[in-house]
Each structure stands twice: as C-alpha cells, then as structure tokens.
Amino acid sequence: MMAEQSKERDQLFIDLDEGRIPKRVPVHTWMDVSYVMQYAGVDLRRAQWDLETMKEMIELAAKTFQSDIEPATVTRLMPVYNILGAVNFVMGSSGQIQHPNIVGMYPEEYDELIADPYKFTHDKVLPRLYKNLDTTPAKRALVFSKAMKAYNDYYSQIFPHIAMVSQKYGLASGRVACQTIAPFDHVADQYRSFSGISADIRRYPEKVVEACEAILPMMVKAGVKPWSSPQARTFIPLHMAPFMRTKDFEKFYWPTFKKLIEQLAAAGAPALLFVEHDWTRFLDYLNELPAGTQMMFEYGDPKLIKEKVGKKHIISGLYPLTLLGKGTKQECIDKAKELVDILAPGGNYIFSFDKVAIFLQDANPENMIAVNEFVREYAKY
C-alpha cells in the first residue's frame, strides 16, 4: 500500500519535470531538522550532535506534517564543524547554527584566487574559515580526514534512513541531489563577506568579474553528482542579487550565474533555485534560464511571477511562513487557496512555503498540517 502511494507521489513530480500536468499539485514542505527538534521538545544544543535523535526527528516529520516529500533536512553537522574549528558556521546559545559575516580572503589576494582557485582556497581560505586547519600540513591532513570520516559516518546513515522512512510513510523520493552556489554569492559568502564584496565591486570591479569566472568550474563540479536528474536536482540558494543595483547585477552576478545553470542543465543536473528576497526586477532574466528550472520564491507578486516565468519554469514557494505562526487556521487555508488559484492553472507548480522552517515560533505546526492537507484535497486538476 505504502509502496504504491510512494509511486503515485513520485509520479506527481515526474509529470511536472517532463512537462505534463499532474493529477494534483504536489506539496513539498521544507524544514530544518532543528524545527522538528523544537516541535518534539528536545534540547537543540544536544540533539544536533546525536545521530539517533536526528533519525527519530526525520521519522517524526515524515508521519506528521503531510508533505509529499520527507520534510526534514539535515544540512549542517555540528560534529564536522567542531572538528574543523569552523568560524563561518557556529552554534548560538539557543542551539541554532548561525553564519556570521566573516572574511576568508583579503582584497589584495584577488590575483591569487584568479590564478588558481583550488590552491588558493586550500592554502589560504580554508585555514581562515576553519581554524583547526591552520596548522602544519601533516596535522591539516589529519583534521581533514577526521572531518570527512565524521561527515560520511553521519550521512551514510541519514540518507538511507530518509529513503527508508519515505517508503514506510508512502512519500515521494527526495527532490535534491546536492547543493552548489552562484559564483558571485560564493565570493561574497565565503571569501569577502557582504560588506567586503559591496566595496570590491566599486574598487576592483574587473577583479570581481575575473574571480567569478575563475571559480565557476568549482561551482559546476560541486553541482553535478552521478545520481543527479530532473527528480534529484541541484539546490542553489540565491543571496546577493536583490541587494545590488540592476547594472551591477548585469555585470557581476548574472553572467556566471546563467552559465552555471546552463552547464548544470547540460550535465543532467537541473537546478532548484531558492530565490531569496525579492527578485521582481530580475524575472525576465530568470525566464532566460533553461526550461524546467524550479524556482522557489520567497517574495513577489504571484500573478506577475506566474505570468513572467510560470509557462517555462516550475514555480514553488510564495506562501508566507510567518502567517502560519500568526494566523488562524482558516486564514492560513484561505491564503493557500488564493495562491493555488493563481499558480496552479496550467501546471508547473509545487506548493511550498516561502522559507525553510527553522524556528518553531515562526510556524504553528497545526496550521502547517492543516494547510498541507487542504492543498492535497483542493488542488486537483
């Protein structure tokens, strides 16, 4: 029975990816495993170190939240960051993992990055972001080995567990194969920081352009796996564009980002974009990307988004997660109906929220469950 249900749910997404209208709108709720931990009332500061607790939370999410795909994601492993001595991802006092505004590269080092991105990243950037790598080559190799073993030990159990749980509860297969990032975003996030890159595009504009081109092959390599497919996509969170002037976006962000998406699609690894903040100014650009790119929008006018990109691409997102935290159950359902009525006609739509749920206070679990149940019943073709 559950195997048949998994097959039916898989078919909803396959139909979308192959350009057909499915039987109904599929529901893909995303939440960090830390959200499920808060829902379950466990201590985040302890639970994020414990593999067995993570596995319990994955199963709890599968049977609770009425998503068509396992909703709980495990993206940040504190044991790995601890071994590396990470300063770019740290646990706050509440147990949540945070990304400080850090600098991994100094402005005078652009030429080194451009000349050999792999060597520069290994020799200079990683020891700055991960303090336990700032040591002798022999000790650095040992730390790398320990971190990679911890990473493999965790995920070699987490991924099979997600697959088992999905089959047990009749869910579709996972939607994401791996993650990469737009070249400009990577330079900003891990090398120069938000404030640093904002200054660099004024002071060293051509160096920034060359740096994005230089690291593009790294970003493509990270985004293609042997198991990549239209149903197992490359997740890319988009960060900096909404904070840039249009002419700066056109010069610094768009050229290498477009090449990245095109090269991923050509390699059989189509993208699932998390279109963070408001990309209204850039919808026409997004429509130039390879057909069938999935775009999970955070903000924007759903009618305009449907009109501009919904014929060529798969739309998701736009449902305000914060409404689930503040609204009544009926208000939440009414909003779901409003969005489905706009975005579902003609297909190319997956129902999801505008953000990944992280904090329990941001989304009432009962409202989330009610909305997902409503969409599964209402949004039939």
Side-chain angles (χ1 to χ4, degrees):
M1 176 65 179
M2 287 302 177
E4 186 63 30
Q5 193 173 88
S6 288
K7 185 177 179 181
E8 290 176 2
R9 285 172 160 169
D10 276 329
Q11 192 62 46
L12 298 174
F13 294 95
I14 293 170
D15 286 343
L16 280 175
D17 294 328
E18 295 183 355
R20 297 185 296 271
I21 297 177
K23 290 183 178 179
R24 65 171 174 85
V25 170
V27 174
H28 187 184
T29 294
W30 284 20
M31 56 185 64
D32 190 84
V33 72
S34 63
Y35 179 89
V36 194
M37 291 173 178
Q38 294 165 77
Y39 172 73
V42 300
D43 186 343
L44 278 182
R45 293 166 296 181
R46 294 178 180 273
Q48 292 191 81
W49 296 80
D50 185 70
L51 177 60
E52 291 307 312
T53 302
M54 287 186 184
K55 290 163 73 173
E56 290 172 12
M57 297 301 104
I58 288 166
E59 180 155 4
L60 178 62
K63 67 183 181 182
T64 302
F65 290 100
Q66 302 301 310
S67 173
D68 286 319
I69 294 178
E70 164 60 51
T73 60
V74 182
T75 54
R76 305 293 180 195
L77 293 176
M78 275 312 303
V80 176
Y81 289 131
N82 184 60
I83 292 168
L84 293 169
V87 298
N88 56 340
F89 293 102
V90 297
M91 182 179 285
S93 58
S94 67
Q96 291 288 358
I97 299 173
Q98 301 165 342
H99 178 50
N101 189 47
I102 49 84
V103 174
M105 180 184 86
Y106 304 121
E108 61 270 18
E109 294 175 323
Y110 267 106
D111 286 340
E112 290 182 66
L113 170 66
I114 293 163
D116 192 334
Y118 284 96
K119 184 177 189 303
F120 176 74
T121 300
H122 177 273
D123 293 351
K124 297 285 185 71
V125 179
L126 292 181
R128 291 168 184 165
L129 302 183
Y130 305 101
K131 293 302 183 183
N132 292 346
L133 299 177
D134 189 11
T135 183
T136 64
K139 290 182 178 178
R140 182 184 303 167
L142 183 61
V143 172
F144 261 130
S145 298
K146 286 182 177 179
M148 184 55 70
K149 184 176 188 309
Y151 180 92
N152 287 334
D153 284 350
Y154 272 76
Y155 279 124
S156 65
Q157 293 195 51
I158 287 172
F159 290 144
H161 185 71
I162 290 174
M164 182 276 292
V165 164
S166 296
Q167 285 294 310
K168 180 177 179 180
Y169 293 97
L171 304 182
S173 304
R175 188 77 178 152
V176 175
C178 61
Q179 178 172 327
T180 189
I181 193 164
F184 185 88
D185 283 334
H186 189 66
V187 175
D189 289 350
Q190 303 298 331
Y191 293 172
R192 291 295 295 127
S193 80
F194 183 98
S195 54
I197 198 70
S198 299
D200 292 351
I201 61 176
R202 307 284 179 269
R203 297 173 183 170
Y204 323 105
E206 298 312 315
K207 297 293 185 187
V208 175
V209 170
E210 291 179 55
C212 290
E213 289 285 355
I215 68 168
L216 173 62
M218 292 171 60
M219 303 299 99
V220 174
K221 185 175 181 180
V224 180
K225 301 298 179 187
W227 53 89
S228 294
S229 76
Q231 286 77 55
R233 293 174 172 246
T234 301
F235 180 64
I236 308 176
L238 308 181
H239 298 152
M240 290 292 297
F243 305 101
M244 303 172 72
R245 297 183 297 180
T246 301
K247 66 177 184 179
D248 291 334
F249 169 85
E250 292 171 342
K251 179 172 182 175
F252 299 106
Y253 197 102
W254 178 248
T256 48
F257 172 56
K258 185 182 182 186
K259 289 178 185 177
L260 172 66
I261 306 306
E262 290 173 341
Q263 291 180 36
L264 291 176
L272 193 174
L273 307 177
F274 180 23
V275 187
E276 294 185 20
H277 204 60
D278 188 348
W279 275 61
T280 300
R281 286 182 293 149
F282 308 126
L283 290 177
D284 288 333
Y285 291 93
L286 290 176
N287 204 45
E288 295 178 21
L289 297 177
T293 300
Q294 184 179 334
M295 302 175 185
M296 177 181 171
F297 286 90
E298 186 171 14
Y299 299 120
D301 178 350
K303 292 181 180 178
L304 183 63
I305 289 170
K306 181 70 173 180
E307 175 190 335
K308 290 278 191 177
V309 302
K311 298 179 181 65
K312 183 177 178 181
H313 302 293
I314 300 169
I315 298 170
S316 60
L318 290 171
Y319 186 100
L321 191 71
T322 52
L323 178 62
L324 299 175
K326 299 176 181 178
T328 65
K329 187 177 292 186
Q330 191 58 50
E331 288 171 338
C332 293
I333 289 173
D334 290 345
K335 184 65 177 180
K337 181 179 184 301
E338 174 191 327
L339 285 172
V340 167
D341 288 346
I342 294 169
L343 296 170
N348 277 350
Y349 176 51
I350 297 170
F351 180 83
S352 66
F353 305 123
D354 63 351
K355 298 176 183 65
V356 176
I358 298 175
F359 299 102
L360 187 64
Q361 64 268 29
D362 289 342
N364 181 332
E366 292 182 2
N367 285 343
M368 185 183 293
I369 294 165
V371 165
N372 285 349
E373 288 178 337
F374 166 78
V375 173
R376 284 166 54 180
E377 287 301 313
Y378 175 74
K380 296 177 179 176
Y381 290 102

